[in-house]
Amino acid sequence: MLAATATAACLILPVSSQVDAAIERNPVQVTNVRWYPAYHIAPYAGWANDPNGFCTYKGEYHFFYQHYPYATHWGPMHWGHVVSKDLVHWENLPVALEPDHIYDASGGCFSGSGIEKDGKLYLIYTGHVDLPVISKDYADRIESQNVAVSSDGINFEKIAENPVIYAPQHPEISQSDFRDPKVWLHNGKYYALVGSRTPTVDPAGTEAQGQIVMFESNDLINWNFKNIIACAEGNQGFMWECPNLANIDNCDVLIFSPQGVKPEGNKFLNWHQSVYILGKMNYDTGVYSHGNFELLDYGFDFYAPQVTQALDGRTIMIGWLDMWAGKFPEDTDGWACQMTVPRELRVVNNKLISLPAKELESLRQNETSYQNCVINKKTSLKNINGAVGELITTIDTKNSFDIELRAGGSEKTVFSYDAKTNIFKINRDKSGASIPTKGYREVKLAPADEINLRFFLDRSSIEVFINEGEAVMSTRVYPKETSTGINFVPRGGEMNIKDVTFYTLGEGFPQPKVK
């Protein structure tokens, strides 16, 4: 297999037309903005999934994403591209990568990362090639790691040396699933993590164990295999995708997305998960010492997050605010899928917490506040409503309660707190246009006298940060534009709202031209 792939690497197809031509020839255009986000990153048209290449370059934030510009469904992957000076106000840039070489043309430019070196922006990504299925004993794909370079942060050229990393000939490393490189600089040397799994004769790979492998380099071009840094045990999935490693508050935090984790009660209910592990990376041996993993987000829609270091040193994470194996109602409007708000990561008391990036406060407008509201029936408060806004509230936990968001007619998305169990839930059975995954998601909180909730509402999403980052829950919603109500509902006694503030939020993401 190695000889065959090495030969293929020498055959480079002619470069296609410039990447910005992808926009001009794109037949897809947004036809309705009813669900198009005001401040979340989304495709200008067409499809988007996993975050890619999140980095800083020449004092700006560059963010890329898996993108198919020709339809509102997944297709051969391109890289969409946006840039920002503040993580909140974004500008669309031309498509950064197209699948146009033999090592990526048949399957696409899969996920990867970005890094600045010698005044240039380097993108390291997975080239995916689909192969004819010969038998279950042979790989049905080649996934290799490749490099594209830009001197202006807009136009990228794939280097002649591609592919720069193949799956090593190792008895414990699959030759088929080998993707999503995350690259960083540590003590003068470059390191790359690649998502992988153990080999198996099962064509789907579901009998395997997920793992992450490490490579090292002096120049981003010539790479040496270092080690398998960590591998799944028990119910930890058959494939580990989209790895990230970040040193946060003197702790090495490994973030990745395991496939195939089975539900454990009311946990791990999504088709795929995104998790973190706290530990210590030994750069000499290439081994990551760690404990068990924990969810990054307890909602319906969160996958493939990517982290970067902010210009002031904070660790910032953005994830895909969607989930595979689902329906995307917005695809009838000429676009599909969006990203989460940027989240700052901290390690506190041996736990990773997620906070909304402070830059989001720059979107705030039209503040409305109330204090010490004690209610005994379903209540709405004047000017506490909207489709695009930020709701912050602190509520006594003596009694159970519901908060209904995007409410109107029969529509509502319900957030509930149970005072007896300390369980907080989302229910989206009545959240609007059809979403296959209904029901609820939940998280058990530490006992406390009060709960602090910070909701970010956009036209088709809600994210809630609980108790200063103790837990986060994200969900898509597709209500009517007129469903903007916010209701506070006591359950089993009075509801003591100690304080509540609502801001309307301005636009941070360029709005599409409607056809």
Side-chain angles (χ1 to χ4, degrees), residues 373-420:
C373 300
V374 179
I375 61 175
N376 53 27
K377 63 179 181 179
K378 182 174 179 178
T379 301
S380 59
L381 301 171
K382 185 178 180 181
N383 294 327
I384 303 286
N385 59 77
V388 179
E390 179 185 358
L391 174 69
I392 307 171
T393 185
T394 302
I395 301 172
D396 190 294
T397 56
K398 181 179 179 180
N399 296 315
S400 303
F401 63 83
D402 296 343
I403 299 177
E404 300 173 352
L405 302 181
R406 298 303 306 273
S410 62
E411 294 182 336
K412 59 184 177 181
T413 300
V414 183
F415 294 81
S416 303
Y417 177 76
D418 189 304
K420 293 182 179 179

Side-chain angles (χ1 to χ4, degrees), residues 44-266:
Y44 57 86
W47 168 271
N49 59 279
D50 303 3
N52 296 157
F54 190 20
C55 65
T56 58
Y57 176 65
K58 294 186 177 179
E60 295 184 312
Y61 296 97
H62 286 255
F63 183 90
F64 306 80
Y65 54 88
Q66 293 283 273
H67 181 39
Y68 188 56
Y70 310 118
T72 55
H73 55 73
W74 193 93
M77 287 291 95
H78 299 54
W79 275 34
H81 187 189
V82 295
V83 65
S84 174
K85 290 181 169 60
D86 63 2
L87 287 169
V88 174
H89 298 88
W90 297 92
E91 174 188 351
N92 275 313
L93 290 178
V95 170
L97 297 178
E98 290 182 288
D100 55 11
H101 283 57
I102 197 168
Y103 47 77
D104 60 27
S106 73
C109 302
F110 278 21
S111 293
S113 53
I115 190 169
E116 184 173 358
K117 176 180 179 290
D118 299 330
K120 296 181 179 181
L121 180 53
Y122 283 69
L123 302 182
I124 298 90
Y125 73 97
T126 297
H128 181 96
V129 176
D130 292 312
L131 299 174
V133 177
I134 301 174
S135 78
K136 67 180 182 180
D137 299 320
Y138 289 85
D140 62 353
R141 74 199 76 168
I142 301 172
E143 292 188 330
S144 63
Q145 316 316 315
N146 303 276
V147 174
V149 184
S150 173
S151 58
D152 61 5
I154 300 175
N155 300 289
F156 292 85
E157 182 176 350
K158 298 172 186 178
I159 64 173
E161 294 89 341
N162 283 339
V164 297
I165 304 176
Y166 277 115
Q169 296 293 304
H170 188 289
E172 296 300 320
I173 298 176
S174 167
Q175 297 295 302
S176 296
D177 289 299
F178 180 69
R179 55 184 174 269
D180 313 331
K182 173 63 178 181
V183 176
W184 73 99
L185 181 66
H186 176 79
N187 288 345
K189 185 171 288 188
Y190 295 98
Y191 292 87
L193 296 184
V194 181
S196 178
R197 62 173 173 85
T198 57
T200 174
V201 296
D202 170 22
T206 56
E207 296 175 352
Q209 291 178 302
Q211 62 188 9
I212 295 171
V213 297
M214 176 185 273
F215 297 80
E216 61 183 4
S217 172
N218 293 317
D219 58 7
L220 293 176
I221 308 300
N222 299 286
W223 293 89
N224 295 313
F225 170 65
K226 186 72 175 179
N227 210 342
I228 300 171
I229 72 162
C231 186
E233 297 179 1
N235 183 35
Q236 293 185 336
F238 62 78
M239 172 65 192
W240 286 5
E241 293 192 311
C242 307
N244 294 254
L245 185 71
N247 187 271
I248 305 172
D249 296 317
N250 297 315
C251 181
D252 291 326
V253 182
L254 183 64
I255 291 172
F256 58 97
S257 296
Q259 297 180 326
V261 178
K262 297 179 175 64
E264 297 178 0
N266 290 324

